[in-house]
Each structure stands twice: as C-alpha cells, then as structure tokens.
C-alpha cells in the first residue's frame, strides 16, 4: 500500500545538521527519512528541489484575541497568518475576555480554537490569586501551561501578590509544568505610570520611562529566585533588555530551570524606528527600548542565554495603534506571519545559521514545553509539521497584505531574503505561496508528552 506523501529533493534542517534527503509521511506522521529510492512509494510527491525543509515553527507566545476581541484577531485569521508564516503550533495567552482563568474558560477557548484553527495550538491558563486552586484543573481540561502576569496594568489579568506567586510555583513544581512569566514589577509600573500621567506626559518617551529596565531586571531575578527555591520550571517571556542578561546567565549557572524567549521587535528595532513608523506606534510592553539592546540580545540568542524565538503576536487595528496620547495607544504588533522571514534574512546576511534558527524556533520551544520530539523535529515518529523554505527568495513585507485582522506591523516595507513557501501540519498543506489553503478545524490541541 502506498503511503500518503513523500517530500523529496530538499535539504533537511535540524539544530545540528543540514542533510540532503527525502521524508516519507503517512497518517500525518513522519514514517521514514532517507533517500527517495529507499522510501516506500507514495500517492503524492512534493518536489523540494532547491528548498530547505524545516520543522514548523512553534510560537509559544501569541494573542489570538478570542473570546472577546474579535475585531483584532480571530483563531481563523490568526492561524491563517501563522500558517503563511511557517508556524505550525501556537500557544495562546489568557488575556482574552473572559480571561482564561477557569476550567470552563479553558474549555471554551479550546472549542473556539478547535473550530477555526488550521494549525495546532495550546492555550495558557491564568495564574492569579483566585486561580491557585484551579491550576491543576485547567491543565486537566487541556491547558498546555500557565501564564503569570508579574507585570500587569490590565485588571482582567492582575498581578498576584508575591505570596500567591510563590504558592503557584510550589504547585507547578509539584505538577512539573513550566509556566510562562511576563516579568516586570507591577508596583514600579503602576507608580511610575501614575506619576508620569499626573505630570501631564503623553509622549512615547513616557512609556519607556514607565517601563524602566530595572522593572524587568528585578522581576526576572525574582522569578529565578522563586523558581530556584521551589524547583518550578519557568519561561521568561519577551526579554527586551540587555540589563537582564547577566541575571539570566547567573540563574542558569546556578542550575535554575529557566528558559527565555525574545521576539523580532526586540532584535531589530529601537526607539530610533519611531521616526519611521511613529513613536506611539512602537508602543509594546515591555517596550522597544533605546538603541543598544539589539546586539546584546543577539549575542545572548547565539550563546544560549536566550533559548527561544517567539513573537508576542499582539495584533491591534491600525487606528488603535495611531492614537496621539501614548497611554491610549494599543501596545503590541502582529508577528506570526513575519518572524520566520525576518530571522531567515539574518541567515542570508550571515549573522547566524539556519540550524540555529531551527534550534530557537522549533526544537527549543518543543523541549521547553514537553512537546519534543513529536513537535519541532523531523525525526521518525514526529508529526509531519513541515515548512519548505526558499532561502534565496527576495520579497517585501507589506503590512496591509498580512492575514491578521490587526495588521499594523512595524516591519512594513522591509525587504527580506528567505521565505517560507509551503507549510504542512500533520502532513496536510495548510498554506502555499503566501495564502492559506485549508478549511478551519484542521488544527488540534497539543498535549505534553514530557515537560
Ligand atoms: O504589548 C503587549 N501587548 N504586551 C502585553 O503584555 C500584552 C499584549 C496585548 O495583549 O496586546
Ligand atoms: Zn504577550
């Protein structure tokens, strides 16, 4: 009996090597890897000559906005954007409305996602003072992990007290599940925000002053200390500051089970980009900072201090991003559709290798959250989540053509070399040449096999 599919003629990329080879896929999984002659015959063959074959990217930090903010994104538009961008699994944040803070809310979000998604997904449950007794239940209901907003100005997802955080870490250490932390110091953000507003500041610089680096340095350190004390595994979201890096290195040197992500906007942008896109438009939490952070963050990504590339895909409508008073300007940008090509462009420029990209975008997130080796790898037995990449393809990012509802991107107009051109999820092609080609409902929730 022929198998479903063979992808032949491409260069297979893992974190360690690039090898010429073919991949055999049956029943949604990789069943053999080798030369075409050695593989079983297949009903369909995809010719990948001249292309690189990567595991699909796993983005552990997206905001797909449903339920509650459908005008910014839906699971349909968000997963379409992700599929086009070469992302095959996303983890969605709990700051929806209602927040994902109960067993029922987890189930509701999984149902919405399941009906619309064209790629696989996980949802985070919220760590809050009123959810401490629900953490295990939310996992049992299908949440992939939990999110802690240590830095929060949103009353729907308030920062718990340190006492509650410590208790949450004790619980999660027992459960063996890594949680993701927005590491900023809430009292610092609140105090400074209040003072800046009272003094009449409405400019973009006030946002940077509010989110002073030490707010994140302190919260990263506190997270590491609590994790070390309790044995909890933690993941630091969206690292933005070079000043955090020595503290992360110190924690890792002590053996704290800490993983760290950064995002393209911290690797490529500084406040200088305000002149191009608008100072207020650049607003994101934590902020894109003054020049001097991108290079140290790249160094940290290359030396393993930073483990993971995510996007913090946080779409808002262009008009929500272009308000004149900084406090009214919606924070964040879409990212899932543009991240891979931006990071591949740095491969073309020689800053890093495509193997490094696969480590940071595919293997490391899968390992951190217990999906490895079923996700993030091209090994036999893995889900056939695969991206065909043309590393030579030159193209331009056009924000208005992105598939997100909130398609206000600071990377509008960027020229990149390297493009995902075909994305498969469990063996099914979900996007080709910039367009989604799959009906909603193909995406499935992911589960931990280890953590
Ligand atoms: O800039 C941000 N936007 N930071 C966050 O923490 C939340 C996000 C959003 O949901 O818009
Ligand atoms: Zn976020």
């Amino acid at each position: 009996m022929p198998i479903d599919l063979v992808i032949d003629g491409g260069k297979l990329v893992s974190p360690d090597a690039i090898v010429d080879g073919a991949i055999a896929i049956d029943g949604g999984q990789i069943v053999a890897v080798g030369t075409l002659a050695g593989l079983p015959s297949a009903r369909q063959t995809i010719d990948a000559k001249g292309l690189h074959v990567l595991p699909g990217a796993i983005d552990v930090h997206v905001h797909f906005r449903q339920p509650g903010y459908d005008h910014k994104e839906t699971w349909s538009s968000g997963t379409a954007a992700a599929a086009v961008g070469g992302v095959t699994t996303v983890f969605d944040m709990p700051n929806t409305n209602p927040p994902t803070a109960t067993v029922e809310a987890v189930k509701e979000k999984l149902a919405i996602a399941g009906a619309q998604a064209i790629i696989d997904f996980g949802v985070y449950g919220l760590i809050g003072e009123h959810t401490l007794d629900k953490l295990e239940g939310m996992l049992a209901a299908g949440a992939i992990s939990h999110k802690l907003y240590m830095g929060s100005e949103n009353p729907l997802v308030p920062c718990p007290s340190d006492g509650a955080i410590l208790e949450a870490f004790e619980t999660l250490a027992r459960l063996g599940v890594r949680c993701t932390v927005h590491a900023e110091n809430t009292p610092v953000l609140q105090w400074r925000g209040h003072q800046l507003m009272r003094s009449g500041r409405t400019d973009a610089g006030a946002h940077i002053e509010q989110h002073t680096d030490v707010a994140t340095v302190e919260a990263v350190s506190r997270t590491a200390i609590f994790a070390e004390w309790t044995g909890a595994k933690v993941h630091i979201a969206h690292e933005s500051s070079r000043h955090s890096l020595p503290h992360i290195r110190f924690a890792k040197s002590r053996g704290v089970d800490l993983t760290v992500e950064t995002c393209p906007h911290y690797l490529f942008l500084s406040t200088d980009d305000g002149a191009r896109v608008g100072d207020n438009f650049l607003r994101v939490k934590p902020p894109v900072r003054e020049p001097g952070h991108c290079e140290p963050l790249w160094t940290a990504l290359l030396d393993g201090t930073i483990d993971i590339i995510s996007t913090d895909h946080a779409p808002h409508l262009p008009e929500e991003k272009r308000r004149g008073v900084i406090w009214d300007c919606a924070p964040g940008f879409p990212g899932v559709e543009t991240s891979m090509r931006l990071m591949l462009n740095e491969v073309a420029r020689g800053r890093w290798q495509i193997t490094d990209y696969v480590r940071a975008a595919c293997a490391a997130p899968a390992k951190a959250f217990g999906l490895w080796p079923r996700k993030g790898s091209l090994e036999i037995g893995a889900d056939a989540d695969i991206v065909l990449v043309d590393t030579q393809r030159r193209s331009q990012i056009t924000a208005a053509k992105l598939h997100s509802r909130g398609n206000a991107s600071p990377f509008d107009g960027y020229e990149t070399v390297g493009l995902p051109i075909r994305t498969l999820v469990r063996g099914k092609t979900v996007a080709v040449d910039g367009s989604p080609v799959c009906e909603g409902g193909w995406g499935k929730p992911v589960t931990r096999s280890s953590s």
Side-chain angles (χ1 to χ4, degrees), residues 75 79 88-90 110-122 375 385 425-426 428 430 438-446:
W75 278 87
T79 61
T88 51
T89 300
V90 289
L110 286 171
I112 296 170
Q116 297 181 32
I118 65 170
I119 65 165
D120 288 350
F121 53 87
K375 299 288 192 190
D385 297 346
V425 172
R426 286 174 282 105
K428 183 179 172 71
V430 296
C438 180
E439 292 288 305
W442 176 248
K444 293 236 175 328
V446 292

Side-chain angles (χ1 to χ4, degrees), residues 61-63 65 69 72 93 95-96 147 149 151-152 154 157 182 184 207 211 237-238 265-266 282-287 312-316 321 330-333:
H61 191 156
V62 308
H63 300 262
R65 303 299 192 203
Y69 308 103
K72 295 177 193 275
M93 288 297 167
N95 63 336
T96 40
K147 174 71 181 286
Y149 283 93
S152 175
N154 176 354
V157 293
H182 179 129
E184 290 188 283
H207 173 64
H211 291 258
H238 44 45
H265 44 279
Y266 302 118
L282 269 188
R283 187 176 195 221
V284 60
K285 300 177 184 181
D312 193 6
H313 176 90
H316 300 282
K321 296 269 328 147
F333 322 108

Side-chain angles (χ1 to χ4, degrees), residues 50-329:
L51 302 176
H52 284 71
V53 181
L54 277 57
I58 299 170
D59 190 339
V60 299
H61 191 156
V62 308
H63 300 262
F64 280 175
R65 303 299 192 203
Q66 279 182 310
Y69 308 103
D70 304 36
H71 68 289
K72 295 177 193 275
E73 197 73 293
T74 63
W75 278 87
S76 179
S77 59
T79 61
V84 168
V87 178
T88 51
T89 300
V90 289
F91 290 1
D92 185 67
M93 288 297 167
N95 63 336
T96 40
N97 193 0
T100 322
T102 61
V103 165
E104 294 69 38
V106 168
K107 288 183 181 163
E108 184 194 355
K109 187 178 277 188
L110 286 171
I112 296 170
Q116 297 181 32
I118 65 170
I119 65 165
D120 288 350
F121 53 87
V123 309
Y124 283 101
L126 181 72
I127 297 176
E129 294 193 2
H130 303 291
T131 73
L132 292 180
D133 60 346
K134 302 185 179 77
L135 299 181
E136 192 166 1
M138 286 193 275
L139 294 173
I144 191 67
S145 172
H146 291 295
K147 174 71 181 286
L148 168 62
Y149 283 93
M150 237 185 203
S152 175
E153 298 168 274
N154 176 354
L156 285 177
V157 293
C159 175
S161 69
D162 280 352
I165 292 172
L166 189 58
E167 186 176 326
F169 279 19
E170 286 169 343
T171 301
L172 293 174
R174 179 169 53 76
L175 297 172
V177 173
R178 185 181 304 278
C179 71
T180 292
V181 182
H182 179 129
E184 290 188 283
N185 178 310
T186 293
V188 168
L189 301 187
Q190 287 179 341
W191 182 267
R192 291 171 80 89
H194 186 70
Q195 298 293 73
L196 287 156
M197 280 180 213
R198 246 181 30 160
S199 72
R201 294 279 298 275
T202 59
D203 62 295
H207 173 64
I208 317 282
E209 285 182 42
Q210 181 195 18
H211 291 258
T212 172
D213 296 75
V214 75
T216 191
V217 169
E218 186 280 332
V220 165
S221 305
R222 181 160 33 109
T223 300
I225 291 167
F226 281 6
E228 184 173 31
W229 189 259
T230 56
K233 303 168 193 222
V234 290
H235 176 67
I236 301 290
H238 44 45
E239 185 48 64
S240 61
S241 170
R242 68 186 159 90
H243 296 295
S244 294
L245 301 173
H247 300 269
I248 294 167
R249 292 188 177 111
F250 179 42
K252 288 191 167 190
S253 77
R254 306 198 304 269
V256 181
D257 194 341
L258 188 73
T259 55
V260 182
E261 68 181 35
T262 192
C263 315
H265 44 279
Y266 302 118
L267 291 168
F268 295 112
L269 304 178
S270 75
T271 47
D272 283 356
D273 288 279
R276 178 176 56 86
V277 299
D279 292 327
N280 285 9
F281 187 96
L282 269 188
R283 187 176 195 221
V284 60
K285 300 177 184 181
V288 164
R289 299 181 190 276
E290 67 281 6
H293 292 270
C294 297
E295 288 302 321
L297 290 171
W298 269 104
T299 302
L301 182 58
L302 288 169
D303 73 16
T305 304
I306 294 175
D307 307 271
I308 289 175
I309 288 295
S310 70
T311 66
D312 193 6
H313 176 90
H316 300 282
L317 298 186
E319 56 266 35
E320 296 171 322
K321 296 269 328 147
R322 296 206 177 278
R323 294 183 183 132
V325 172
I326 191 64
W327 315 116
D328 299 337
C329 183

